[in-house]
């Protein structure tokens, strides 16, 4: 848990460091949007590394509907 | 934007071939059986029609790409349509990143943690995508011809090992199976429509799209038929990477008996370039939705998001392949339905039409 949080923080800070000039130039909305993307990415990273039962997105999508129903009878 | 016709054709062809080579030979052979050559042709025809529709839309708005057209013609609703394309290409992006990671984990680097391969992959594509379309075009022009030559060489080198009995019964067509195989292949062919999102009608005439799709179809048929003739219709569907196994059969001489390694060395740069294109399309779409962003800025945070989402979206390599069954349902909504709607409704304003007609006279 701690290792994944530290790695997420490290990557986020690294991105912010290398893009600090552009962040200043592009203004506040871009800055806040970048923080949100980095925060979201870090949260996903920590979640996928530490959760006991990860809810994988496309596994959920698979269960919504069977797209091959028209072909099913002879399967 | 300085992109040559040659580069456009190669970009389109690589966009179709690279992931399809890895993901789809198994289900295509499983369902189409000995008629493995037919689904790519059907997909090519369907996507050509959709591509023609998009080219007609682009022709109504000279010198603008589709993202530009949508954001300028319908500033509010256009952003939703752009958003749908951005989401689609983000899914393609995460899937391809995961595909690369799993491929290397299974075939070459089983002891290396997934996140190491993943982070290196994402770092590379971020660096490429930051360079913009021209850099991507040059990279494609550099590596893609090598992949085309390698694919054309495969049947030449393997012809002595072909077992033509695997083609039997060659006159039997299981149309239901061919339909399912086409269903699997269609969204992979549809990815080529991404070119219309970043290139205007002057850079991307319809004939170049035709050439790109024809080239990719021919190459995919060659690969599919080689796998079938070497491994057989019973073995191919049971393998995870049939193309890789086919290539492993190549032994040029005694000292070069692992010819698959140089082949992967040729395939990987083209695959990375393809993934970088997807990242560029997503970044460019976001820039069109929110003009405050610049493409070279947004690619880095998006690269990080792609990296983590490639682990969140797909549980493992097997599930990534299984998802190909449902994937067309989501992808084709955007790849087929949206272009048809755009063709029907996306037209210039009346005064723009009139001023365009005046300019012509």
């Amino acid at each position: 848990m701690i290792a994944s949080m530290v790695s997420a923080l490290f990557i986020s800070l690294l991105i912010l460091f290398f893009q600090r000039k552009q962040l200043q130039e592009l203004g506040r909305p871009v800055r806040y949007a970048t923080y949100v993307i980095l925060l979201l990415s870090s949260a996903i990273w920590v979640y996928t590394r530490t959760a006991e039962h990860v809810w994988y997105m496309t596994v959920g999508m698979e269960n919504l509907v069977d797209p091959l129903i028209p072909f099913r009878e002879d399967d | 934007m300085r992109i040559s016709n040659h580069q456009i054709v190669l970009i389109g062809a690589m966009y179709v071939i690279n992931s399809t080579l890895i993901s789809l030979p198994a289900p295509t052979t499983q369902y189409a059986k000995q008629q493995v050559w037919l689904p790519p042709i059907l997909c090519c025809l369907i996507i050509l029609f959709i591509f023609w529709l998009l080219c007609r839309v682009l022709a109504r708005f000279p010198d603008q790409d589709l993202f530009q057209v949508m954001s300028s013609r319908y500033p509010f609703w256009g952003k939703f349509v752009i958003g749908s394309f951005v989401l689609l290409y983000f899914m393609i992006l995460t899937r391809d990143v995961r595909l690369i990671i799993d491929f290397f984990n299974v075939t070459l680097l089983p002891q290396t943690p997934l996140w190491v391969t993943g982070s290196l992959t994402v770092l590379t594509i971020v660096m490429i995508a930051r360079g913009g379309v021209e850099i991507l075009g040059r990279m494609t022009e550099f590596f893609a011809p090598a992949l085309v030559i390698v694919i054309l060489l495969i049947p030449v080198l393997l012809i002595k090992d072909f077992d033509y009995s695997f083609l039997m019964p060659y006159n039997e067509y299981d149309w239901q199976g061919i339909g399912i195989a086409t269903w699997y292949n269609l969204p992979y062919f549809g990815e080529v429509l991404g070119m219309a999102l970043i290139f205007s009608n002057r850079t991307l005439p319809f004939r170049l799209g035709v050439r790109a799709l024809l080239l990719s179809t021919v190459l995919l048929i060659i690969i599919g038929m080689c796998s079938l003739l070497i491994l057989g219709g019973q073995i191919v569907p049971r393998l995870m990477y049939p193309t890789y196994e086919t290539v492993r059969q190549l032994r040029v001489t005694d000292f070069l008996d692992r010819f698959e390694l140089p082949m992967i060395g040729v395939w990987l740069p083209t695959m990375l370039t393809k993934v970088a294109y997807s990242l560029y399309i997503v970044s460019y779409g976001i820039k069109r939705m929110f003009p405050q962003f610049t493409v070279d800025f947004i690619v880095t945070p998006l690269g990080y998001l792609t990296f983590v989402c490639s682990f969140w979206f797909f549980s493992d390599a097997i599930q990534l392949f299984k998802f190909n069954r449902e994937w067309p349902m989501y992808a084709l909504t955007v790849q087929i339905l949206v272009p048809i709607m755009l063709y029907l409704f996306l037209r210039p304003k009346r005064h723009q039409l009139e001023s365009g007609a005046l300019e012509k006279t």
Side-chain angles (χ1 to χ4, degrees), chain B residues 155-169:
Chain B
V156 178
L157 296 171
L158 281 176
I159 197 161
K160 62 181 186 306
D161 298 322
F162 282 173
D163 183 346
Y164 295 99
S165 67
F166 289 136
L167 289 176
M168 298 295 179

Side-chain angles (χ1 to χ4, degrees), chain A residues 57-58 61-62 65-66, chain B residues 176 312-313 319 325 329-330:
Chain A
M57 194 176 189
T58 54
M61 286 162 82
E62 277 172 12
V65 71
D66 181 0
Chain B
Q176 191 181 16
W312 180 40
F313 287 179
Q319 192 265 328
R325 189 167 172 273
M329 193 178 57
Y330 300 101

Side-chain angles (χ1 to χ4, degrees), chain A residues 3 9 11-12 24-25 28 30 33 40 42 46 52-53 55 57-58 63 70 73:
Chain A
L9 187 71
I11 296 169
S12 304
Q24 293 297 328
E25 287 165 7
R28 194 176 289 176
V30 174
L40 181 70
S42 303
V46 174
E52 271 185 39
H53 300 288
W55 181 80
M57 194 176 189
T58 54
N63 296 330
E73 286 174 15

Side-chain angles (χ1 to χ4, degrees), chain B residues 167-306:
Chain B
L167 289 176
M168 298 295 179
Y170 61 84
N171 238 354
E172 199 172 279
Y173 289 82
D174 173 12
W175 288 108
Q176 191 181 16
I178 290 168
I180 296 176
T182 308
W183 166 264
Y184 274 84
N185 276 270
L186 206 50
Y188 282 81
F189 275 75
E191 288 171 22
V192 77
L193 301 175
M195 288 203 297
L197 301 172
I198 52 173
F199 297 126
S200 68
N201 71 323
R202 286 196 209 284
T203 322
L204 181 67
F206 178 62
R207 64 188 161 83
L208 296 184
V210 175
R211 280 186 213 166
L213 270 167
L214 287 180
L215 177 65
S216 49
T217 307
V218 168
L219 295 177
L220 283 173
I221 290 173
I222 289 174
I223 283 286
M225 290 307 288
C226 284
S227 301
L228 180 75
L229 288 167
I230 291 291
L231 303 168
Q234 298 297 318
I235 304 285
V236 173
R238 287 171 174 77
L239 294 171
M240 200 164 172
Y241 302 114
T243 310
Y244 175 71
E245 294 301 329
T246 308
V247 170
R248 277 181 54 162
Q249 306 299 317
L250 288 174
R251 282 181 181 82
V252 179
T253 54
D254 285 343
F255 72 92
L256 198 57
D257 64 343
R258 290 208 69 188
F259 198 59
E260 79 271 13
L261 291 178
M263 286 201 158
I264 291 173
V266 172
W267 168 79
L268 183 66
T270 56
M271 184 67 186
L272 287 174
T273 318
K274 188 233 163 165
V275 181
Y277 268 111
S278 302
L279 181 58
Y280 181 84
I281 290 172
V282 174
S283 309
Y284 185 62
I286 289 176
K287 180 197 156 45
R288 286 291 161 205
M289 288 164 78
F290 307 103
Q292 300 95 328
F293 283 102
T294 59
V295 173
D296 65 331
F297 171 79
I298 194 71
V299 287
T300 316
L302 266 182
Y304 182 30
L305 189 63
T306 304

